[in-house]
Amino acid sequence: EAQVTQNPRYLITVTGKKLTVTCSQNMNHEYMSWYRQDPGLGLRQIYYSMNVEVTDKGDVPEGYKVSRKEKRNFPLILESPSPNQTSLYFCASTPPGLPYEQYFGPGTRLTVT
Amino acid sequence: KNQVEQSPQSLIILEGKNCTLQCNYTVSPFSNLRWYKQDTGRGPVSLTIMTFSENTKSNGRYTATLDADTKQSSLHITASQLSDSASYICVVRVSGGYNKLIFGAGTRLAVHP
């Protein structure tokens, strides 16, 4: 089954404790991205990757890092999480060519205390 | 500034009734407009994608319209079902460059028996 998976689905952590949220897709897509979703706001892009070893900042990259060492995986790294990073996070992958449909993962709900 | 605004913020309807959700956008240059359905605790799932030249597109009981002149779109749900309870997100893709998407904040629909 074609899908985007994320782990963990739920995470409660404390300020400053490094964490990684994994994202994997089995559709051989080159383009992947990370979003955060907060109440009352639309999804906002954190980082995106157009291919292996090619990543770039989205609209809200502060406090986040990513890596893309393999096509299928695109982990999101929070080196020193803070409470304002409490949010719902989505990974997405996109096949090449118009209309550039996005396939979203199930989401990771992160709480930083 | 590229923006997508949706109305209403929330809506309650009775099962079997129809409803229409609105989306106004100021995005340029325009590539396409999507409607996503997001169930609670899940990632968004695409319902329709419309390009500049498409006025109407249907997906089962969901019908989206697009007026590129007034920069408005609507999503009409016919004969609502309890399973239609979800958030509906309007998203506009910016033409050119990488896959830049502008997300609306969504309309939360509750269908009551």
Side-chain angles (χ1 to χ4, degrees):
Chain A
E1 179 191 354
Q3 59 181 350
V4 179
T5 58
Q6 295 178 228
N7 282 293
R9 295 289 316 279
Y10 304 89
L11 179 60
I12 301 174
T13 189
V14 295
T15 299
K17 186 176 182 181
K18 181 180 179 180
L19 66 92
T20 299
V21 183
T22 65
C23 172
S24 182
Q25 50 95 4
N26 62 2
M27 296 169 280
N28 203 37
H29 292 164
E30 293 178 347
Y31 188 96
M32 297 182 72
S33 51
W34 275 102
Y35 297 89
R36 62 178 288 172
Q37 185 177 37
D38 300 294
L41 299 177
L43 274 77
R44 294 178 292 169
Q45 190 178 56
I46 302 170
Y47 269 93
Y48 66 95
S49 170
M50 299 187 77
N51 211 331
V52 175
E53 303 291 2
V54 181
T55 63
D56 207 346
K57 297 176 180 178
D59 298 317
V60 288
E62 295 77 21
Y64 305 94
K65 286 175 57 178
V66 293
S67 70
R68 188 89 182 275
K69 294 181 171 25
E70 315 165 87
K71 185 180 279 191
R72 64 183 294 123
N73 296 323
F74 189 41
L76 179 70
I77 303 157
L78 284 72
E79 294 269 3
S80 182
S82 62
N84 64 13
Q85 292 178 298
T86 292
S87 188
L88 182 57
Y89 292 88
F90 290 101
C91 178
S93 74
T94 302
L98 287 170
Y100 295 105
E101 175 64 277
Q102 291 243 344
Y103 296 91
F104 287 89
T108 295
R109 183 166 293 282
L110 172 66
T111 301
V112 184
T113 62
Chain B
K1 180 183 177 184
N2 287 329
Q3 278 188 316
V4 174
E5 295 183 346
Q6 294 186 241
S7 60
Q9 274 190 315
S10 61
L11 182 62
I12 299 173
I13 62 173
L14 293 177
E15 186 178 14
K17 298 297 186 182
N18 303 335
C19 68
T20 300
L21 314 181
Q22 301 290 344
C23 173
N24 296 335
Y25 63 92
T26 53
V27 176
S28 182
F30 175 91
S31 175
N32 57 52
L33 184 145
R34 307 113 181 263
W35 283 94
Y36 286 90
K37 178 185 180 188
Q38 184 179 17
D39 292 314
T40 301
R42 301 282 191 95
V45 175
S46 180
L47 292 174
T48 65
I49 298 178
M50 289 184 292
T51 61
F52 184 88
S53 59
E54 295 175 295
N55 300 119
T56 303
K57 187 168 265 191
S58 293
N59 179 356
R61 294 180 296 102
Y62 301 101
T63 299
T65 65
L66 174 63
D67 186 334
D69 291 331
T70 61
K71 298 188 176 181
Q72 295 180 324
S73 176
S74 66
L75 181 69
H76 186 75
I77 304 175
T78 303
S80 61
Q81 300 176 357
L82 298 179
S83 59
D84 292 329
S85 295
S87 286
Y88 292 85
I89 304 172
C90 177
V91 185
V92 178
R93 181 177 182 271
V94 182
S95 181
Y98 71 101
N99 195 31
K100 176 68 174 177
L101 301 177
I102 310 297
F103 289 79
T107 293
R108 181 171 292 278
L109 174 66
V111 181
H112 290 182

